[in-house]
Amino acid sequence: MSYKNYPMVSRVVFGRGSFNQLGDIIESKRLNVKAPFIYLVDDVFKGNALVTMRIPLAYDDELIFVSAVEEPKTSQVDELVERIILTHNDRPSGVIGIGGGTVLDLAKAVAIMLTNEGEAKDYQGWDLVKSPAIYHVGIPTISGTGSEVSRTTVLTGPDKKLGINSDHTPFDQVILDPELTVGVPKQQWFYTGMDCYIHCIESLSGTFLNAFSQSYGEKAFELCKEIFVAGNLTDEEAQDKLMMASWHGGMSIAYSQVGVAHAMSYGLSYLLGTKHGIGNCIVFNQLEEFYPDGVKLFKQMKKLHAIQLPEGICADLDDEQFDIMIDVALELEPLWQNAIGKNWKSTITREKLKSLYQKM
Ligand code: NAD
Ligand code: ZN
């Protein structure tokens, strides 16, 4: 038995207003005046002085707005890397991602591809990255995915949706400033928050569970209940706690694995472009047989927050399209193994998955 030797984020700051420390934090990381910091910022903050005016641009630093309407693609990473290389003579001092899981994943992938040859799609998989990434900083503005702490960057490529999982992926520095999440719209708050909740359920009820994952998973689960069920927190408390729930949820799956909802949600995302948070909710809503207690509480939270999930998103699909989703889902073997056990193939048949997708 060989245990995972897991890399972690080297440095982290937590606190309301801690975003103001960014300039001081990165100052010593500037290689020279020609080696810029590249800021990848969610374009939802265009014209938002609270965020953009506080970005400490200097010398040749560049701010690039990126859209989070679609999830990151390998081609998008390649385009950003090419643009950065063509615009600047020197290799950047660092990449700083400011946004949700979409922008954080892009920042991690761009930092990796600035020092590794070829295209981003060549690195989708496990431990394929050869050279350390350039210095990269993650600043989440919405809580739940755990991308700020994870060892992966999830990308949709030409033939698969799969992360770049590597020791070089985690951020060198994370700034957790819950104030940055103030403007998140309610539905999105719920969907991305439920990503964290589902990480907990899938980790805590999986066969890969161990004391390391459990300790983080239980804490995140407890925080999710305080935020989404109890409802007696101030807005500030809820923002602070959800940011920490996301972190702990990410730490929990780091040393175990996610499960059925994630595997099937990847299928939806690959075929229909359904985004991760909402896709997980649509799938999880149909998974009573796998996660009875988790789904029951999920439905309660959905009702409490008056969330209407889209229905019938698979209603008009043909057999070929179902097959594509099923292929994507079944390829994620570790997720099924965690959820069901070593003999998962005896119960998780193509017909089974089709019948579940048909309900969504
Ligand atoms: P997101 O980054 O896609 O953002 C969702 C929406 O919220 C966007 O419209 C965005 O503009 C908006 N938004 C973000 N912050 C805001 C703010 N402060 N105010 C107003 N609007 C704001 O959402 P997400 O759920 O955080 O990320 C989903 C992505 O994360 C997916 O691509 C998924 O694959 C990835 N993911 C990665 C990991 C990992 O470990 N790397 C884990 C889970 C999910
Ligand atoms: Zn997730």
Side-chain angles (χ1 to χ4, degrees):
M1 179 82 187
S2 162
Y3 296 101
K4 275 194 261 188
N5 186 7
Y6 190 85
M8 308 228 301
V9 170
S10 323
R11 283 180 171 267
V12 57
V13 182
F14 172 84
R16 305 183 74 82
S18 59
F19 185 46
N20 288 335
Q21 289 171 231
L22 176 60
D24 290 341
I25 289 170
I26 61 174
E27 200 181 316
S28 66
K29 303 291 177 184
R30 189 182 291 281
L31 301 172
N32 64 66
V33 295
K34 288 210 180 105
F37 283 107
I38 307 294
Y39 291 87
L40 299 180
V41 182
D42 189 321
D43 67 7
V44 78
F45 295 114
K46 235 182 216 175
N48 178 330
L50 255 171
V51 174
T52 50
M53 295 303 284
R54 289 160 76 200
I55 294 177
L57 292 173
Y59 306 106
D60 290 338
D61 294 351
E62 189 181 2
L63 190 166
I64 303 176
F65 284 111
V66 291
S67 165
V69 171
E70 290 184 353
E71 297 197 338
K73 296 188 178 57
T74 55
S75 57
Q76 190 184 4
V77 173
D78 296 333
E79 281 159 25
L80 279 165
V81 169
E82 194 179 328
R83 165 177 171 174
I84 293 166
I85 291 173
L86 291 176
T87 314
H88 302 277
N89 294 327
D90 282 39
R91 177 184 286 180
S93 296
V95 175
I96 296 150
I98 304 176
T102 297
V103 175
L104 296 183
D105 278 5
L106 272 173
K108 291 197 264 188
V110 166
I112 288 170
M113 292 312 300
L114 278 165
T115 54
N116 285 275
E117 292 187 345
E119 298 172 76
K121 70 173 167 59
D122 307 335
Y123 297 92
Q124 283 181 285
W126 280 271
D127 302 306
L128 302 170
V129 178
K130 288 170 198 79
S131 309
I134 66 166
Y135 177 74
H136 48 303
V137 180
I139 308 179
T141 63
I142 179 171
S143 301
T145 65
S147 173
E148 66 278 12
V149 74
S150 81
R151 184 187 183 270
T152 187
T153 157
V154 184
L155 301 175
T156 302
D159 44 38
K160 54 185 173 241
K161 179 173 177 184
L162 187 62
I164 300 180
N165 298 267
S166 85
D167 281 356
H168 306 299
T169 308
F171 287 112
D172 298 298
Q173 170 80 55
V174 169
I175 297 181
L176 298 177
D177 182 348
E179 263 175 19
L180 297 176
T181 67
V182 165
V184 173
K186 176 155 182 213
Q187 299 261 344
Q188 190 62 54
W189 164 80
F190 185 82
Y191 296 144
T192 301
M194 285 301 110
D195 189 21
C196 173
Y197 172 75
I198 296 169
H199 291 160
C200 298
I201 302 293
E202 294 190 323
S203 171
L204 291 172
S205 51
T207 62
F208 293 0
L209 190 65
N210 51 69
F212 184 104
S213 288
Q214 188 174 6
S215 62
Y216 285 106
E218 282 175 351
K219 186 68 211 178
F221 182 60
E222 201 180 285
L223 290 166
C224 283
K225 282 196 289 192
E226 278 187 67
I227 298 155
F228 293 102
V229 187
N232 54 0
L233 302 176
T234 64
D235 286 353
E236 283 79 11
E237 285 169 337
Q239 289 153 9
D240 290 6
K241 285 179 189 246
L242 190 51
M243 200 156 251
M244 289 322 298
S246 175
W247 183 275
H248 281 78
M251 285 301 296
S252 180
I253 48 176
Y255 223 86
S256 59
Q257 202 25 291
V258 284
V260 181
H262 275 74
M264 295 195 70
S265 163
Y266 272 40
L268 288 181
S269 156
Y270 187 78
L271 182 76
L272 304 172
T274 314
K275 294 198 69 180
H276 188 74
I278 191 171
N280 280 354
C281 288
I282 293 170
V283 176
F284 197 67
N285 201 34
Q286 303 297 342
L287 298 183
E288 286 97 341
E289 64 182 289
F290 300 102
Y291 307 109
D293 296 342
V295 174
K296 196 168 156 214
L297 187 57
F298 171 77
K299 290 188 170 167
Q300 205 180 317
M301 294 187 286
K302 196 166 59 114
K303 199 164 163 209
L304 267 170
H305 298 286
I307 301 293
Q308 296 275 344
L309 287 178
E311 285 174 16
I313 63 166
C314 296
D316 299 324
L317 300 184
D318 58 31
D319 284 349
E320 207 176 305
Q321 290 173 308
F322 279 113
D323 278 337
I324 293 172
M325 291 197 295
I326 294 166
D327 285 340
V328 171
L330 288 179
E331 206 189 321
L332 298 159
E333 296 212 8
L335 282 63
W336 293 107
Q337 220 184 86
N338 176 44
I340 318 283
K342 278 204 179 70
N343 296 322
W344 64 274
K345 286 183 180 157
S346 61
T347 48
I348 303 302
T349 59
R350 300 187 72 88
E351 294 69 41
K352 176 78 210 167
L353 293 195
K354 186 169 179 187
S355 73
L356 284 168
Y357 275 129
Q358 278 169 331
K359 291 197 228 167
M360 295 172 195

